[in-house]
Amino acid sequence: MTGIAGALAPSAPTLLRIIVESRGFTIAITIVIAVNAITLGLETWPLAMQTAGALLLALDTLALWIFTVEISLKLWVYRGRFFRDAWNVFDFLIVAVAWVPTTGPLSVLRALRIVRALRLLSIVPQMRTVIGALLRALPGMGSVIAVLVLVFYVAAVMATKLFGADFPDWFGSVGASMYSLFQIMTLESWSMGIVRPVMEQHPYAWLFFVPFIVVTSFAVLNLFIALIVNSMQSMQSETNSQVRAEALAAHDEREALACRIEALTAEIRQMREIMRKD
């Protein structure tokens, strides 16, 4: 009986994997990341450092040790498979940079401690989905960016020819025109700051600026949003398929375990009957 119980009991690596992948462990690490981000922000506040500077530094050190233990546990559980996951590599680099000495010429690295807050990107599944969608949308964004650059270049050349002589600060060269058109595209002070002064000398300038805003701000930029949304929908669909596959695999494993337990139970009954006859 003891041997059977030992066979059914999980091994140490398996138990650690269950702990590391548990929801409670993830929530605890998320809380530590959030608290650490708050303490790092408070360290930039002179009044907070005067009041509780030692406590803030102690919490910072404690958080770093917790992150180090977490990464060590994952390295022990996953071994070589740890570095096959890009998010694990991301976490490892962030924690490794935190251990770099921040004295002397490397004191500038102290500012990188706040990068630990970015670990929320790898801990929170919803954030991982957003980042994954952005990365998957990059190839499609390249084509949109190429179209946007072409539109900007054509519009910059036209603006330089049309308005460069009267407004050299804004449209005196192609580079200056592209910068001014970028400000117009962002709709930052585009009307009162640039377009209306230009229209005082060129009343029909709106025939150039309004279509430019429609094409860049409302059409091309919306393509970026469409690409990201489409990428997120694709990732969500893949995630749902993966969850269903994992659920099916887990069901099969439970069925196999139940059959194994039934077989062991039958063997125990036979052993008991044999012992009774003896």
Side-chain angles (χ1 to χ4, degrees), residues 49-252:
M49 289 300 294
Q50 293 176 4
T51 306
L55 176 61
L56 293 176
L57 294 175
L59 290 175
D60 183 26
T61 303
L62 177 62
L64 179 56
W65 275 105
I66 292 175
F67 296 149
T68 303
V69 171
E70 176 209 0
I71 296 298
S72 300
L73 289 176
K74 288 184 177 180
L75 281 170
W76 187 28
V77 170
Y78 299 118
R79 309 299 171 97
R81 292 182 291 110
F82 176 86
F83 294 101
R84 296 178 186 176
D85 190 340
W87 288 112
N88 288 339
V89 176
F90 177 76
D91 293 341
F92 179 84
L93 292 176
I94 288 179
V95 175
V97 168
W99 280 108
V100 175
T102 56
T103 57
L106 297 177
S107 59
V108 68
L109 294 179
R110 290 181 60 86
L112 295 179
R113 292 184 301 166
I114 190 58
V115 177
R116 276 179 265 167
L118 293 178
R119 291 203 56 211
L120 287 173
L121 298 178
S122 64
I123 295 293
V124 181
Q126 291 80 0
M127 291 186 179
R128 285 205 305 266
T129 302
V130 173
I131 298 301
L134 286 174
L135 294 177
R136 292 187 60 174
L138 286 179
M141 286 183 180
S143 301
V144 178
I145 291 174
V147 172
L148 187 61
V149 170
L150 180 60
V151 171
F152 257 82
Y153 180 74
V154 172
V157 173
M158 293 178 61
T160 303
K161 295 290 186 180
L162 294 173
F163 315 121
D166 297 323
F167 301 92
D169 293 338
W170 295 337
F171 304 104
S173 63
V174 173
S177 296
M178 292 187 72
Y179 183 82
S180 300
L181 291 174
F182 181 79
Q183 177 182 346
I184 293 172
M185 182 193 71
T186 60
L187 305 179
E188 176 63 28
S189 302
W190 71 275
S191 179
M192 301 303 296
I194 297 179
V195 175
R196 287 190 181 277
V198 172
M199 289 180 61
E200 291 179 358
Q201 298 190 31
H202 302 273
Y204 296 100
W206 64 271
L207 291 174
F208 170 81
F209 289 112
V210 171
F212 174 79
I213 292 175
V214 171
V215 171
T216 57
S217 295
F218 302 141
V220 177
L221 291 183
N222 282 334
L223 289 176
F224 287 104
I225 300 175
L227 287 171
I228 295 173
V229 171
N230 182 64
S231 179
M232 291 186 67
Q233 289 178 343
S234 299
M235 286 195 64
Q236 189 65 36
S237 177
E238 293 178 2
T239 301
N240 293 336
S241 300
Q242 183 179 359
V243 169
R244 285 194 294 268
E246 291 177 353
L248 182 60
H251 178 267
D252 293 340

Side-chain angles (χ1 to χ4, degrees), residues 8 243-264:
L8 293 176
V243 169
R244 285 194 294 268
E246 291 177 353
L248 182 60
H251 178 267
D252 293 340
E253 291 179 358
R254 288 194 298 268
E255 290 291 335
L257 182 59
C259 294
R260 184 178 177 185
I261 293 174
E262 289 179 1
L264 289 172

